[in-house]
Amino acid sequence: MSAIEKTASNPRSPRSGTELQPFEGVINLSPKSMGKFFGHKGEAFRKYVTGKSAFAVKRAYKEYYENALKEVNGNFDDKSVRYLMPPEDLGSILISIKFPPAEDLDEHASQIPYTALIINDKQNLSKFMNIVKTNIDKHAANCMVKKDPHDRFTHKIVFVAEIDHEGQIGKFIGQGGKNIKHLTNQVIDSLGTSKVRISMVPSNTEMKRPPWKNKFIRLKTDPDNHFEVHIIVSANILGGHNADYKNTMCVLTPIISNAVINLQKVRESSEVMASEFLDNISPQYLPGCTDYSNEGW
């Protein structure tokens, strides 16, 4: 099940010769999620756990060695540093992590046990096991989090607007998604890309990945609107990381702005101008004013 190095017996401490005892822990992950945990041919596991931990342990040991040497004023003969291997001579570090065979696991389990060892031919590095544990736990937690569909694209653009009320989010989407499908097709045609995802959410909705260039584009709407939303547009924009931000915004902003403005209600005043009823009346004849004598006034 794992892409992990296997040894016939536990390695021994380079200094004392005693057998190293592996660290025993558990990860909060179901067996069904282990495929994602390891990744294709174990790539994710090596990248985020074993490889990452080996690099971090080597860096931590270097810091530990330098601090220990500093405490004895650089005296290499002091007993506290005499048997410490200089970091440059440490050599390779192997992070060995073992899981039970897949057939021994309960498919309904929510935790999986493991054992871990830090193996080095010249120095006992067991004191840095907390680094390995932290990386295992973090990677397992990340495998449980469902990725936001917007974060699967190279570019995320976020507009901010005030709408009249939360119910207008449904109007933005339209019956059966009709409005948002039409809007999506407009954006696809304008940007010249093959796939776009658009959504409108309340502005207090958690956003794990920031927008392109960390910029939020504020749209002008009715000043009487007070429900703030984010309109998120995600796409694989041509040019990738070299895409022109300003040109893209000049193309995209009018389209999104019009879609938001179309949500606004037309507010009719309870008053009308009298001139609307007087335009077609002759000034020489005002009914009720000139059809009787003014004498005696």
Side-chain angles (χ1 to χ4, degrees):
M1 180 176 180
S2 71
I4 306 168
E5 301 78 4
K6 295 183 178 179
T7 57
S9 61
N10 292 333
R12 296 181 179 277
S13 170
R15 181 182 174 186
S16 66
T18 57
E19 188 173 291
L20 296 176
Q21 294 303 309
F23 171 81
E24 297 182 358
V26 294
I27 55 172
N28 296 315
L29 207 63
S30 69
K32 292 181 180 179
S33 300
M34 290 303 282
K36 186 176 181 181
F37 181 80
F38 286 111
H40 180 63
K41 295 183 178 179
E43 290 178 2
F45 184 72
R46 287 192 294 272
K47 180 177 180 181
Y48 296 111
V49 180
T50 56
K52 183 178 180 180
S53 296
F55 179 81
V57 167
K58 194 162 192 173
R59 183 173 56 191
Y61 176 77
K62 182 175 185 291
E63 184 177 339
Y64 170 78
Y65 178 87
E66 290 173 348
N67 288 337
L69 197 60
K70 187 176 180 180
E71 286 181 6
V72 296
N73 298 316
N75 182 9
F76 290 96
D77 293 327
D78 190 276
K79 63 180 182 180
S80 64
V81 297
R82 187 183 308 164
Y83 298 105
L84 291 180
M85 183 63 58
E88 60 270 20
D89 297 329
L90 199 59
S92 63
I93 296 173
L94 175 67
I95 308 297
S96 174
I97 303 173
K98 297 180 181 180
F99 293 91
E103 57 270 20
D104 292 348
L105 295 174
D106 179 359
E107 62 177 342
H108 302 296
S110 59
Q111 291 185 322
I112 299 175
Y114 69 88
T115 60
L117 279 167
I118 304 175
I119 303 172
N120 181 260
D121 292 337
K122 299 177 181 178
Q123 191 72 42
N124 182 351
L125 301 173
S126 298
K127 66 170 68 225
F128 302 106
M129 183 58 71
N130 64 308
I131 293 175
V132 180
K133 182 182 183 304
T134 297
N135 286 334
I136 293 175
D137 291 342
K138 185 176 181 181
H139 182 52
N142 289 338
C143 290
M144 294 176 63
V145 177
K146 192 172 182 180
K147 193 171 185 180
D148 187 336
H150 281 286
D151 293 340
R152 296 172 184 169
F153 295 84
T154 58
H155 296 80
K156 177 195 279 185
I157 301 153
V158 181
F159 296 88
V160 185
E162 302 276 353
I163 60 175
D164 189 54
H165 55 85
E166 189 173 4
Q168 288 192 326
I169 294 178
K171 184 178 179 182
F172 181 81
I173 296 170
Q175 187 175 9
K178 179 181 177 182
N179 294 343
I180 207 161
K181 286 177 184 176
H182 176 70
L183 181 61
T184 299
N185 289 333
Q186 276 187 282
V187 173
I188 287 174
D189 292 342
S190 299
L191 295 181
T193 187
S194 59
K195 191 175 181 182
V196 168
R197 184 181 182 89
I198 302 175
S199 66
M200 177 184 282
V201 297
S203 62
N204 61 358
T205 303
E206 182 183 6
M207 187 180 299
K208 294 183 174 62
R209 175 184 161 195
W212 191 9
K213 291 189 178 294
N214 289 314
K215 302 290 185 183
F216 292 80
I217 300 95
R218 169 71 64 175
L219 299 177
K220 186 177 181 180
T221 54
D222 193 308
D224 291 332
N225 291 347
H226 298 293
F227 188 84
E228 189 176 77
V229 294
H230 286 161
I231 302 93
I232 307 171
V233 181
S234 299
N236 295 326
I237 297 175
L238 298 178
H241 296 298
N242 297 318
D244 191 305
Y245 179 78
K246 186 173 182 180
N247 286 347
T248 302
M249 292 304 105
C250 287
V251 170
L252 187 58
T253 302
I255 298 172
I256 302 301
S257 179
N258 287 337
V260 174
I261 289 173
N262 286 340
L263 297 176
Q264 296 182 170
K265 293 192 226 175
V266 177
R267 291 185 171 88
E268 295 185 355
S269 172
S270 59
E271 296 182 352
V272 294
M273 296 302 295
S275 59
E276 292 186 28
F277 308 106
L278 299 175
D279 289 345
N280 297 323
I281 298 177
S282 170
Q284 284 79 27
Y285 177 74
L286 297 178
C289 296
T290 57
D291 55 354
Y292 52 86
S293 173
N294 292 329
E295 292 182 4
W297 279 37

